[in-house]
Amino acid sequence: MSAQHSSSQSPLSYRDAGVDIDAGDALVDRIKPFAKRTMRPEVMGGIGGFGALFRLSDKYREPVLVSGTDGVGTKLKLAFMLNRHDTVGQDLVAMSVNDILVQGAEPLFFLDYFACGKLDVDTAATVVQGIARGCERAGCALIGGETAEMPGMYPDGEYDIAGFAVGAVEKSEIIDGTKIMPGDVVLGLASSGAHSNGYSLIRKIIEVSRIDLSADFHGRPLQDALLAPTRIYVKPLLSVFREMPSAVKGLAHITGGGLTENVPRILDEGLVARIDARGWVLPPLFQWLQEAGQVADQEMHRVFNCGIGMVVVVSEADADAVEAKLAGAGEAVFRIGRIDQRRAGEAQCVVG
């Protein structure tokens, strides 16, 4: 049986199916100036090609590429609820560049993936502007990306984002924690807030507390504290790597899993990090989350960063100099613990 075609039917277009190619083109035009500000000399070509070209610098003798990918998680749900899209782009960059930084890598370039049901050019441009801002702070080039408009895949007004960072480190300068030993000092760099982890619990606490997110919270609306973008530690730590080679023995980016699950990732089986919670003051945001949600200390330490966004392990002999260097670069630095021999059956990170 042959298919019948009605002559009265209007010709269908991609826009009729929910995909607006013109909107996608408009977005590319909007984001080109943001991306241009992030360019590095090694970038070959511009935004819009099928692939992005990057020439590795001659400064490396034995370069090792380090890659990372991540998203922003359910922090996006809060951004949707508040119609605030200006900070999540920096979150996206931070999650990946901080991750590759812990192995001593300098972030070189970044790509993003933005997926939605219906493309809102203003919202997407705001998100990408935040991504470009994060790349500038990390010193890496926003070299490309993908915008996917997929009708029916996402609720109206919602989107998802993913990021991909590539960096490089000299083979002899890789930081992997193997030089950490008993007696080493654990430094903590202050976070800017909850960063991009624990937001399913945060949203539950907001729900049960019924708090007004526009209410004043230590001099700013609570929603500003909750959406504060993730701190990017790249430039201060790269300066330490350059000026004090081998001083940093290990780094842990405090993301999902908090202190108790991220610090052990850089320790040999026979070592334990003893963290003294009195070494820093629990920031007001985490105090409120703990009180409003009646969250136990142990749960706080394995869900949230609790005010410490990056852990740096150094020898006792280097601790003062590294602390001074980071403080001079604008970081709030705390001595939060020491490395010890691990006792049988003991956890590898003990916070007390």
Side-chain angles (χ1 to χ4, degrees), residues 59-64 66 100-106 168-179 237-238 240-251:
K59 71 180 180 180
Y60 297 103
R61 297 181 305 277
E62 290 185 280
V64 175
V66 184
I100 66 173
L101 176 69
V102 302
Q103 290 177 286
E106 175 189 4
V169 60
E170 198 70 63
K171 184 179 179 182
S172 62
E173 297 171 4
I174 293 172
I175 299 172
D176 58 9
T178 55
K179 296 178 181 177
L237 281 167
L238 285 179
V240 173
F241 301 162
R242 283 192 298 266
E243 297 180 28
M244 303 179 65
S246 305
V248 175
K249 295 184 173 187
L251 291 159

Side-chain angles (χ1 to χ4, degrees), residues 2-19:
S2 61
Q4 296 297 310
H5 176 72
S6 170
S7 59
S8 63
Q9 178 180 318
S10 300
L12 292 176
S13 69
Y14 213 6
R15 180 176 291 180
D16 294 324
V19 178

Side-chain angles (χ1 to χ4, degrees), residues 319-330:
D320 286 342
V322 172
E323 185 175 351
K325 178 68 178 172
L326 290 168

Side-chain angles (χ1 to χ4, degrees), residues 297-351:
D297 286 348
Q298 183 179 6
E299 186 73 356
M300 290 290 294
H301 294 145
R302 74 178 197 137
V303 174
F304 301 118
N305 66 58
C306 293
I308 301 296
M310 183 73 76
V311 160
V312 185
V313 181
V314 297
S315 69
E316 178 75 52
D318 288 328
D320 286 342
V322 172
E323 185 175 351
K325 178 68 178 172
L326 290 168
E331 298 300 321
V333 190
F334 309 96
R335 292 203 184 197
I336 63 172
R338 297 184 72 83
I339 303 297
D340 268 343
Q341 292 283 359
R342 184 183 179 199
R343 294 190 287 262
E346 188 176 28
Q348 280 201 281
C349 182
V350 178
V351 183

